[in-house]
Amino acid sequence: MLKIGITGGIGTGKSTICEIFALLGVPVYYADQAAKTLMATNSDLKQQLITTFGTATFTSKGELDTKYVANKVFNDENALQQLNALVHPVVLADFEKWCSRQHTPYILKEAALLIESGSYKQCDYTILVESPIALRINRLLNRDKSSEAQIRARIANQLPDEEKVKLANFLILNDEKHLLIPQIIALHTQFLIGSSGV
C-alpha cells in the first residue's frame, strides 16, 4: 500500500481535493484533525501539554483551548517547536495504526505541516497543492472571520511554496485556470498502477 502525503499552504484547497480523492474510494487521514483529537484524548500527551504550557491549555470542561495554544505558539518559535515535538510523534504513531487498518492500493495523509514536520519522509510520495496568494486570501476571507492582515500573517508563518516544491513529487494547481478533476484522476491512475509494484 502506497502512502501519499498531501500538503499546501492555508487556503490552497487541500480539503476539497481530499474530498474528491475520497469519492474515488481513497481513505484520507487528516493529520491536523487527528492532532487536535489526540491532544484532547491522549492522557500522556495531555499531561505533557499541561506541564509545558500550563493548566489553561484545557478548559474547565477538559477541552483543548485552541485559541490559548495558538496565542502561545504563534509568535514564539521555541514554543512552537516544543508543541510539535510533543504532538508529532503521537500523531505519527496514530497514523501508522490507522494505516494498518486500511486495505486499499494507496492512502492519503493530509497535513498542513507535512514538510515542516518531516513526516513527508514516512510517505512514498508527496503532493503539493498550489494556488496564487490573491486567490488564497480571497478564499480565506470568505471562509474565516479573519482580516486580510491576519491571513497574510498566517501565510507568512508557513514555509513558502518555493521551498515545498523542492520536496514534492507531484503538483496540483488549484488556480481556477486548470481543471481539478483531470489532475486528480491522472494522479489516482498513476498511484493505482504504482501500488501494484509495491
Side-chain angles (χ1 to χ4, degrees), residues 1-2 13 16 29 46 53 57 59 72 75 80 84 87 97 103 110 112 114 128 137 140 156 164 166 170 188 192 198:
M1 181 178 74
L2 289 176
T16 302
Y29 180 87
K46 216 171 169 178
F53 299 106
T57 306
T59 66
K72 276 276 185 192
N75 289 313
L80 182 61
N84 289 340
V87 176
K97 212 184 292 179
H103 305 285
E110 189 266 350
L114 187 81
L128 176 65
I137 289 169
L140 292 164
K164 289 179 184 173
K166 293 174 189 171
F170 302 99
H188 179 63
L192 289 178
V198 174

Side-chain angles (χ1 to χ4, degrees), residues 146-160:
S146 306
S147 68
E148 185 172 332
Q150 287 170 317
I151 292 165
R152 284 188 181 277
R154 283 161 76 190
I155 289 172
N157 249 12
Q158 294 187 327
L159 193 68

Side-chain angles (χ1 to χ4, degrees), residues 16 34-36 90 115 120 122 130 150 190-191 198:
T16 302
K36 281 178 188 165
V90 179
I115 289 170
Y120 74 96
Q122 276 80 37
E130 276 195 326
Q150 287 170 317
Q190 198 170 338
F191 297 145
V198 174

